Amino acid sequence: MAAPLWTRCLLFSRAFGLSCRRRQQQQRSLNIGRGLLPRPRPLPLLLVTGGGYLGYQHYRNRIQQEDGVPTVASPTQVALYRSFPTRLLSRTWGRLNGVELPTWLRKPVYSLYIWTFGVNMQEAAVEDLHQYRNLGEFFRRRLKPAVRPLCASSCVISPADGRILHFGQVKNSEVEQVKGVTYSLENFLGPQQHRSNDSASSYRDLLLSSPDNDLFHVVVYLAPGDYHCFHSPTDWKVELRRHFPGSLMSVNPGVARWVKELFCLNERVVLTGQWQHGFFSLTAVGATNVGSIRVYFDQELQTNAPRYSKGSFYDRTYVTDGKLEAPREDEVSSSEGGVALQKGEALGEFNLGSTIVLLFEAPKDFSFNLQPGQRIRVGEGLGCL
């Protein structure tokens, strides 16, 4: 006998309610499961996967180097490396460097850094670690005046403490950042429109003021444990400051051997001018965690700033506009003919450590007194005539 209509309706409503409750329980279970799983984070995922890939490539490159096979990163690999937010990370690191540490924490933190990178604190003007309020002050520590004597017999001295990556004559407008890996001189310095040399057949010749001279270069790499200030390598006048915003890839020698034109891709500040033999330039190249490059006589310079875009450059001339702010202690003054610097004079500083590139004109008989890979300190001679 068929059940009454009201009974069938009651059974249907109970079955429908039970089905709805089961669906709600299943949805809760799914939500709980999703809550237990970590939400995907694009930036950490990119860093982990990209870092793993670069680590693998570095390992493979070392194996190939041991076999005598030179390796250079492909455009895809360089693009992947440049996609890392190194500029943002460097700005964050800069803010952390400015955080004042508690007095009780300063000695343990700085001692660990000293032990890790082999810092010689006996040369520091202030040896008491408690006097450095933050990491930035410790990185930019000054030295005792007598620990960096200037070489009187050399016309060009080392502008920084570090290691010689490469040196020699510039040929075919190509400069070696390390042995076998080059970069374009024009891409590195930018256009030289203010120079007129009708007989110039190349960019290199455009820089030379005399056919009896040649163009030379030196690359000095500053490690994290080195003294981070750089000095004037000779008596000269700075006529132009050119700021290239760019990437902040590592300039470690291993990376410099891997990335062609690394110095042209990274952010850098180029100071160009004249010395007794003609053209002279000093370039401070930025790197990861070294977004801050300071030049003492130029208060307008601001590196690793979001308002600057890659692929451009910004000039400031000191020849027609010598009206800079009144110099503070350890700063230099300027004139209408440029900013006059004396040999060994404090010129600027990095936030952590990076690379200095010297490019200068000199007579053809100029010779270097250097060895590739040797350690060098401020004031030691680079070469002589």
Side-chain angles (χ1 to χ4, degrees):
M1 181 176 179
L5 180 61
W6 65 269
T7 304
R8 282 182 287 175
C9 291
L10 178 62
L11 292 174
F12 177 79
S13 66
R14 286 181 177 177
F16 181 76
L18 180 61
S19 176
C20 290
R21 284 195 295 271
R22 285 178 178 172
R23 288 181 181 178
Q24 290 175 355
Q25 290 175 354
Q26 290 175 353
Q27 187 65 34
R28 291 194 195 100
S29 300
L30 282 173
N31 291 336
I32 292 173
R34 289 172 181 170
L36 294 175
L37 294 175
R39 298 180 65 182
R41 305 284 183 180
L43 181 58
L45 183 63
L46 175 65
L47 293 176
V48 170
T49 56
Y53 174 76
L54 289 176
Y56 165 74
Q57 290 295 334
H58 180 68
Y59 171 76
R60 191 178 72 170
N61 292 342
R62 290 195 61 181
I63 297 298
Q64 292 177 340
Q65 287 174 4
E66 291 174 359
D67 295 337
V69 180
T71 57
V72 177
S74 67
T76 302
Q77 292 170 333
V78 175
L80 175 62
Y81 190 4
R82 296 187 71 186
S83 68
F84 285 10
T86 52
R87 292 171 63 85
L88 176 60
L89 293 175
S90 298
R91 285 195 290 269
T92 303
W93 177 253
R95 294 189 183 98
L96 290 175
N97 285 347
V99 175
E100 185 170 347
L101 297 176
T103 305
W104 61 270
L105 189 59
R106 295 174 187 176
K107 188 171 183 179
V109 170
Y110 301 148
S111 297
L112 177 62
Y113 188 92
I114 291 169
W115 177 79
T116 303
F117 296 107
V119 178
N120 183 3
M121 286 302 295
Q122 294 182 350
E123 296 180 338
V126 179
E127 297 186 40
D128 184 7
L129 298 180
H130 295 98
Q131 299 300 315
Y132 297 100
R133 295 173 297 177
N134 52 54
L135 285 169
E137 288 187 0
F138 178 73
F139 293 148
R140 299 185 296 269
R141 62 193 176 276
R142 300 305 174 116
L143 300 181
K144 297 172 182 175
V147 298
R148 294 293 184 271
L150 305 183
C151 178
S153 61
S154 178
C155 56
V156 183
I157 61 173
S158 175
D161 287 8
R163 186 151 61 95
I164 300 295
L165 287 190
H166 206 272
F167 63 92
Q169 292 183 353
V170 177
K171 300 179 180 179
N172 301 322
S173 299
E174 290 281 332
V175 188
E176 289 195 90
Q177 57 191 28
V178 293
K179 187 174 182 180
V181 180
T182 63
Y183 57 93
S184 165
L185 184 62
E186 184 172 5
N187 291 342
F188 184 67
L189 295 178
Q192 302 292 318
Q193 298 178 354
H194 64 289
R195 295 178 175 273
S196 58
N197 188 348
D198 297 335
S199 61
S201 59
S202 66
Y203 185 89
R204 167 189 164 276
D205 295 336
L206 185 67
L207 300 177
L208 299 177
S209 61
S210 170
D212 297 328
N213 291 344
D214 214 330
L215 195 64
F216 300 85
H217 78 103
V218 184
V219 182
V220 183
Y221 167 69
L222 290 74
D226 287 325
Y227 168 60
H228 300 308
C229 297
F230 50 93
H231 297 243
S232 175
T234 191
D235 296 333
W236 65 304
K237 280 191 174 183
V238 183
E239 299 175 346
L240 178 72
R241 179 261 288 166
R242 176 166 287 168
H243 172 212
F244 289 87
S247 302
L248 288 173
M249 296 181 284
S250 171
V251 292
N252 180 280
V255 178
R257 282 190 292 268
W258 186 54
V259 179
K260 183 179 174 63
E261 296 213 345
L262 172 64
F263 296 159
C264 296
L265 298 175
N266 269 15
E267 182 157 12
R268 60 198 181 278
V269 176
V270 182
L271 302 177
T272 58
Q274 297 288 316
W275 74 316
Q276 59 178 330
H277 300 295
F279 174 81
F280 198 97
S281 74
L282 180 149
T283 302
V285 182
T288 307
N289 294 335
V290 196
S292 174
I293 302 172
R294 183 184 174 194
V295 174
Y296 293 141
F297 62 77
D298 192 338
Q299 301 301 310
E300 292 184 4
L301 176 65
Q302 186 179 6
T303 57
N304 194 18
R307 61 191 176 97
Y308 292 128
S309 58
K310 298 179 183 179
S312 57
F313 61 85
Y314 302 86
D315 287 352
R316 184 183 182 188
T317 178
Y318 306 116
V319 175
T320 57
D321 180 13
K323 299 178 181 179
L324 296 179
E325 298 177 2
R328 301 188 312 236
E329 184 181 358
D330 80 1
E331 291 186 342
V332 297
S333 60
S334 65
S335 64
E336 293 183 359
V339 179
L341 297 174
Q342 295 182 351
K343 181 179 174 182
E345 194 166 7
L347 176 55
E349 62 189 31
F350 290 110
N351 192 44
L352 184 59
S354 189
T355 298
I356 294 288
V357 179
L358 299 183
L359 283 157
F360 56 92
E361 178 182 359
K364 295 181 182 294
D365 58 351
F366 178 87
S367 61
F368 288 102
N369 300 322
L370 301 172
Q371 294 294 329
Q374 80 170 67
R375 294 285 306 173
I376 198 163
R377 305 198 302 177
V378 172
E380 294 181 352
L382 297 179
C384 57
L385 292 169

